[in-house]
Every structure is written in C-alpha cells, then in structure tokens.
Amino acid sequence: MKITVLSGGVGGARFLRGLRSHLAAADPAAEVTAVVNVGDDMWLSGVRIAPDLDSIMYTLAGENDEVRGWGRVGESERVSAELRAYGVGWPWFTLGDLDIGTHLARTSMLRDGLTLAEATDRITARWDLGVRLIPATNAEVETHVVTADGETMHFQEWWTRHRAALPATAFVHRGIENATPAPGVLEAIDDADVVLLAPSNPVVSIGPIVAIPGVRSALAAATARVVGVSPIISGAVVRGMADACLTAIGVETAADAVAVHYGSRASGGLLDAWLIDETDAALLPAIKAAGIAARAVPLWMRDPATSAALARDALAIAAAL
Amino acid sequence: MKITVLSGGVGGARFLRGLRSHLAAADPAAEVTAVVNVGDDMWLSGVRIAPDLDSIMYTLAGENDEVRGWGRVGESERVSAELRAYGVGWPWFTLGDLDIGTHLARTSMLRDGLTLAEATDRITARWDLGVRLIPATNAEVETHVVTADGETMHFQEWWTRHRAALPATAFVHRGIENATPAPGVLEAIDDADVVLLAPSNPVVSIGPIVAIPGVRSALAAATARVVGVSPIISGAVVRGMADACLTAIGVETAADAVAVHYGSRASGGLLDAWLIDETDAALLPAIKAAGIAARAVPLWMRDPATSAALARDALAIAAAL
C-alpha cells in the first residue's frame, strides 16, 4: 500500500511516527511519503531553517526532545549565545547547536546548487526514517502574517516572538502563485492508495501545501481516498496556536468547522472523510451534512500506542469508503 | 602616534597583543590599525570563515585558546560532529561551536549586504580590542595552492588537511588583480607614523596583502618608516609551516632571505628596517647589504612581556632611522 501524508511539523511528526508503528505490524511493505510544509522556512543568519522537515526527521529518527516538545534531545545553545553577543539574528528564536548542524548541512547543499528536495534526501539518509520526506515545493514560499495594525512579518516572528498573540488578519504565502510542487509530490498523490491530512495547522501547515498550484487539482483527481484528522479536540487546539490562525481567516476553532473549511471532495474540496475526537461526536452530523464521511475516535496522540491506533483508524475509514 | 600593522593570524595576533601592551604604558594615545590578510578566508558549509581576522580578534579579546594555540578558549565541536554525520563539509577542518557563532554573525551581515570591513567593525565592537582591525580587502581573494603534481586546492585544504606536506609550486591569490584595498587601508598606510610588518607568513599572510593593487605603491609612497619582524629564527619557522611556502617560491628559510625577498624600500621593495633574532646576528651584514637597516633582538614571543619588548624594539628601530 502507498500512503501519502500531507504534514506540518510536530503534530504531523507524531502522526507519522504512529503510522509507521502501525504499519510495521499491519503492512510492513507499505510505502509512506510525507509531503511536508515549507511555509515556516526562513533564512536566519545566513542559514536555511526548515522547521517542519526537521521536526519530522528528528521525531522519526528518535532524536526529538519529548520533554520540550520540539527540537533535538540533548540540545545546547552555545552558538546562539554567541550570535546574541554579536547582536545578530532574532534573539527570541532559539537555534540549538545540534539543530544548527542540520541547518548548516542543508545550507551547504543549497549553496552547492541542490534543491531543497535533493538536500532533504541527503540529510534524511543519515537515519532509517521509514518514511520518505518531500518538501511540498523547492521554492521559497515563506508564510507572512498581516496583523490587525497593518504590519507584515514572517510567520516565525509572529508565532515565536509574539506567541501568535498579535491579532492577525491574513496569512500570505509569498510567491506561492509561481511555485511548483517539488518533484515527486504530484506523483505521490496520483499513485497513493490513501492520502492522509495529518492533524497539523490547517492554515499555516496544510494550507500552504494545498495552495501550491497543482496540488489541489491533483488531490481532486486522485484515485485514492483523502482522509483528514482533526487538529481540534473539544473546541481547542491539541498543541500550538492554530486557533489564532483559524480565527484570523474566520474559521471557528471546532472540529466540524475545520472539516467544512477543507470541504468535501465531491464539492471541489479536499476531504472524503474526517476523523474527530470521541468528545466531539455530537459534531458528526454537521460534518456528514457537508458531504464528508466522519468518525469519532480517540484522537489524542499521548504515546506511540495511541498514535498508532489513530493511524489505524484513519486507514480504516479510508478502506470503508 | 599612528601605527599600522600588516598582519596574518596567530603570529600577527601575538605581535599586536604585545604592541598594545607596550603602548599602554609608553603611549596610551597611540592608535593602532591592523590590516589583516584575508587570503585564508573561505566559504564552508555556506558560512564565511575568516581565520586571520578571528585569530587576532580572539587573541586581543583574551578569548583565544593559549594551550591549543588557535581558536576560542573553552571551545566545543557539537555542530561539527553533526556536519560530519550528514557527510557535509571538510571533515578535517575543525569548526568550533563558539567559532561558528562568529562565522554565522559575519555571514549574516554579509548576506545583509555589509562589506567584510563593515561586518568586521560590527563584530569586533563586542570587545574592547584596543586595535582597529581592517581586512586587507573586501573582495574574496582566496589563496589557492598549485601542487607539484599539478593539482590546485584552497590554501586551507593544503595547510590543514595536508599539513603543507604536498610539495607546492605556486600560490595563487585568485582574483587579486581586480581587488581593491578595503576602505581605510590606504589611509592607514598614508597616515601612519610607523608601518610594521608582523612576523607572519611572508608568502600567504603578508604576501596577499601587498599583492592587492595599490598597497605596494602606498607603502612605497608612505612617509612612515616600514619595519618588518622576521618570522624565521635560526633558519626555522617560529610556528606554522611557512618554510613550505617559502620553499615553494624559491626563498630560503632564513631571516636574511625573507628580508631580501621583501626587498629594500629604497629599491622598490617593502622594508626600511628588519628585526631578526639575536641568534641570527651573523645575518645582519647580508641584510644591511641589501639596503635594509637591521637589528638583532630577542624575537621569541614567549609571553606578554617578551611580545611587548619586541614591539618596543620594532618602534625603536623605526625611530632611529
């Protein structure tokens, strides 16, 4: 079976880890491709940062910091301290030393003329991830946030420096109209037996992926079923600050509202089916009324076992359609 | 008094530290400008390395590793280990974490459009160095080595990876014919009361500086006396592998041979005077015969006191001319 997962960072990483765990027993021959958001990427102090690609890689490699919830385990910040002492960079953006190793490896490859997808292939080859990671695009389509007072800033500045607390009115994926999917992205959608939308931020993780010209039409034309997993449980985000993003684009922070935002594939949207949490079971009729199959299952990825069960449930609803 | 010092890395750094120490008592109002070689600079993993500028900065800041003889004290190599694990970079080239902080600060500024001289001003502002550092040029004129078997490689590869053990036939300062001195370099020479050539590698440290179009003629026209300090004592290099460089260009590893290589200013060369070590006193007549004033003094910079005494001797011979 070929499974393609559209994914953001930490939530996507945990979902992919659960999927890999589930498949190890259920279908060891399955091939999983993760199409990863690059809207959070940026140049910082001359190096190329790709937070979502790295979060997924570290998590699948078992190198992520489970306690902190992001970055590398056993991290240190000696380089960052130097940068601050020189008055360089964004003092509020943490660059771990091990993480900088990844950034510099990537940057070196990009400077040598490799595409981001080629660099990602080389960088991920260090570990046996069991999942192929493809950036959604090789283009630099960074997400910027327009705030209520008319300022525009890089998503990372809004998210990390301002903790998503500045009211936002729009998210702009700069240059995305001229971007093309990275090699392998459309093929991964075309050839998939199942396409999954990870429980990632709908606005700034899944949003930028499907906004790349060609991706939405590939999803519409895919023979695979497209199943999404809600990032919202009981009217709240599981992690991160996706609620601030949803509010900015006028979508309620609710599992059914996100499904309606994605839309039914039958009506030109993205979804054949949508998984919500058991606590949100009352929302099932509203989702089904929008033309989207739905099930309520345990959605919290508390540990590898619950993450694997969630992946199993996502595949099960696809098979049942 | 205005003193301008043409300088390479570690030898130059110790000499400058000694000069600063001497002047603190002898002439606190003196202004010292170091014109620093950039031929060793390179792009590595997307960051700009400037070994001579950094060696001098760390030494004058008291942040250098005295035991190892180069780099930052208290250094670690976590980023480097990551780069090696990703198969990136030059595995034989050590990039310390603290050092990478400096490289990234510089790279960030260069990417922002600053010149190397402007970046150097900002970076050195972190510490009270007591010496103004100016890169010899803002241009990227990296030194490459042609080996006896016809291969060409970056100086750092020849020096660090091959420990200068591959017979060399030539040193090429790529693009130097189109380089211009950094702003302030010619002024520092024109306005100086004394110009000193630090006991740095004549071929790959002092050589690239005076090969920048305009520098040699500025030295020729300077009202200041130009005094050099021999990097050779008793027919051997004080540190490093300058002998391999001298051999490659057909100059004997001897204090008088280097003086003759630099040449007398009266005959279109660089030097008014040349300091050699006491143990080389027998070479004084040969140097004077070349039209260069000379003195034999204690040349080993064993500690701050001997370094300060050497700087005092260099200024003394200039004053006596």
Side-chain angles (χ1 to χ4, degrees):
Chain A
M1 185 160 62
K2 292 183 176 176
I3 304 168
T4 296
V5 184
L6 310 194
S7 178
V10 177
R14 293 187 180 180
F15 183 73
L16 285 162
R17 187 172 56 181
L19 179 61
R20 182 182 65 180
S21 172
H22 167 66
L23 293 170
D27 184 358
E31 297 173 20
V32 180
T33 302
V35 175
V36 181
N37 171 49
V38 296
D40 299 8
D41 295 9
M42 63 174 169
W43 286 103
L44 184 61
S45 299
V47 303
R48 188 68 180 166
I49 317 285
D52 284 1
L53 283 165
D54 289 350
S55 288
I56 294 173
M57 179 173 74
Y58 296 155
T59 300
L60 293 176
E63 295 283 340
N64 59 311
D65 187 328
E66 292 283 350
V67 176
R68 192 170 54 170
W70 55 274
R72 289 280 296 270
V73 70
E75 189 56 285
S76 53
E77 291 167 26
R78 284 165 64 77
V79 177
S80 254
E82 290 299 302
L83 288 173
R84 280 194 295 276
Y86 288 119
V88 165
W90 295 355
W92 40 265
F93 192 85
T94 304
L95 278 172
D97 296 327
L98 301 177
D99 209 22
I100 284 176
T102 308
H103 304 328
L104 285 183
R106 174 187 302 110
T107 304
S108 179
M109 294 173 191
L110 295 175
R111 300 276 182 214
D112 284 346
L114 270 66
T115 65
L116 179 60
E118 291 166 341
T120 301
D121 273 345
R122 284 210 201 169
I123 288 169
T124 55
R126 175 176 173 185
W127 288 293
D128 182 22
L129 301 183
V131 174
R132 183 177 176 208
L133 307 191
I134 311 181
T137 176
N138 283 325
E140 294 180 5
V141 288
E142 302 177 14
T143 299
H144 284 69
V145 184
V146 183
T147 63
D149 59 4
E151 205 184 339
T152 301
M153 62 185 72
H154 192 288
F155 172 73
Q156 290 290 0
E157 185 169 2
W158 181 75
W159 185 260
T160 306
R161 181 181 193 179
H162 298 290
R163 310 299 302 163
L166 294 179
T169 59
F171 296 88
V172 180
H173 313 299
R174 285 196 178 166
I176 203 160
E177 61 280 7
N178 298 317
T180 54
V185 169
L186 297 183
E187 294 79 353
I189 294 170
D190 291 345
D191 298 347
D193 298 299
V194 182
V195 174
L196 302 175
L197 272 56
S200 300
N201 188 313
V203 184
V204 296
S205 294
I206 304 297
I209 299 175
V210 299
I212 296 164
V215 171
R216 187 173 277 273
S217 54
L219 287 166
T223 54
R225 297 300 188 178
V226 180
V227 176
V229 179
S230 174
I232 306 295
I233 297 179
S234 306
V237 293
V238 174
R239 67 179 340 276
M241 300 160 286
D243 48 343
C245 302
L246 289 166
T247 301
I249 64 165
V251 175
E252 192 190 349
T253 302
D256 58 335
V258 174
V260 170
H261 167 65
Y262 281 152
S264 156
R265 210 146 71 106
S267 322
L270 300 172
L271 296 174
D272 293 309
W274 187 239
L275 286 187
I276 62 173
D277 188 61
E278 293 172 313
T279 60
D280 287 321
L283 304 175
L284 287 172
I287 299 166
K288 290 174 182 168
I292 301 165
R295 274 190 200 170
V297 299
L299 222 61
W300 279 96
M301 297 185 285
R302 287 190 177 79
D303 49 41
T306 52
S307 302
L310 176 58
R312 178 202 62 207
D313 291 340
L315 295 177
I317 193 172
L321 289 175
Chain B
M1 185 162 58
K2 291 183 177 177
I3 304 169
T4 296
V5 184
L6 309 194
S7 178
V10 177
R14 292 187 181 180
F15 183 72
L16 285 162
R17 188 172 55 182
L19 179 61
R20 183 182 63 179
S21 172
H22 167 66
L23 292 170
D27 184 358
E31 297 173 21
V32 179
T33 302
V35 175
V36 181
N37 171 49
V38 296
D40 298 9
D41 294 10
M42 64 175 167
W43 286 103
L44 184 61
S45 299
V47 303
R48 188 67 180 167
I49 318 286
D52 284 0
L53 283 165
D54 289 350
S55 288
I56 293 173
M57 180 173 72
Y58 296 155
T59 300
L60 293 176
E63 294 283 338
N64 59 311
D65 187 328
E66 291 283 351
V67 175
R68 193 170 54 169
W70 54 274
R72 289 282 294 271
V73 69
E75 189 56 285
S76 53
E77 291 167 25
R78 283 164 64 78
V79 176
S80 255
E82 290 300 300
L83 288 174
R84 281 193 295 275
Y86 288 120
V88 166
W90 295 355
W92 40 265
F93 192 86
T94 304
L95 278 172
D97 296 328
L98 301 178
D99 209 22
I100 285 176
T102 308
H103 304 328
L104 285 182
R106 173 187 302 112
T107 304
S108 179
M109 294 172 190
L110 294 176
R111 301 276 183 215
D112 284 347
L114 270 66
T115 64
L116 178 60
E118 292 166 341
T120 301
D121 273 346
R122 283 209 201 170
I123 289 169
T124 55
R126 175 176 173 186
W127 288 292
D128 181 21
L129 301 184
V131 174
R132 184 179 175 206
L133 307 191
I134 311 181
T137 177
N138 283 324
E140 294 181 5
V141 289
E142 300 176 14
T143 299
H144 285 68
V145 183
V146 183
T147 62
D149 60 3
E151 205 183 341
T152 300
M153 62 186 71
H154 193 288
F155 172 73
Q156 290 289 359
E157 185 169 2
W158 181 76
W159 185 261
T160 306
R161 182 181 193 180
H162 297 292
R163 310 299 302 164
L166 293 179
T169 60
F171 296 88
V172 180
H173 312 301
R174 286 196 177 167
I176 203 161
E177 61 279 7
N178 298 317
T180 54
V185 169
L186 297 184
E187 294 79 353
I189 294 170
D190 291 345
D191 297 346
D193 297 300
V194 182
V195 174
L196 302 175
L197 272 56
S200 300
N201 189 312
V203 184
V204 296
S205 294
I206 304 297
I209 299 175
V210 299
I212 296 164
V215 172
R216 187 174 277 272
S217 54
L219 286 167
T223 54
R225 297 299 188 178
V226 180
V227 176
V229 178
S230 175
I232 307 296
I233 297 178
S234 306
V237 292
V238 174
R239 68 179 336 277
M241 300 161 285
D243 48 344
C245 302
L246 289 167
T247 302
I249 63 165
V251 175
E252 190 189 351
T253 302
D256 57 336
V258 174
V260 170
H261 167 66
Y262 281 151
S264 154
R265 207 146 74 107
S267 323
L270 299 173
L271 296 175
D272 292 309
W274 188 238
L275 286 187
I276 62 174
D277 188 61
E278 294 171 313
T279 60
D280 286 322
L283 303 177
L284 287 172
I287 299 165
K288 291 174 181 167
I292 302 165
R295 276 190 198 170
V297 300
L299 222 60
W300 280 96
M301 295 186 286
R302 287 190 176 80
D303 50 41
T306 51
S307 302
L310 176 57
R312 178 202 63 207
D313 291 340
L315 294 177
I317 193 171
L321 290 173

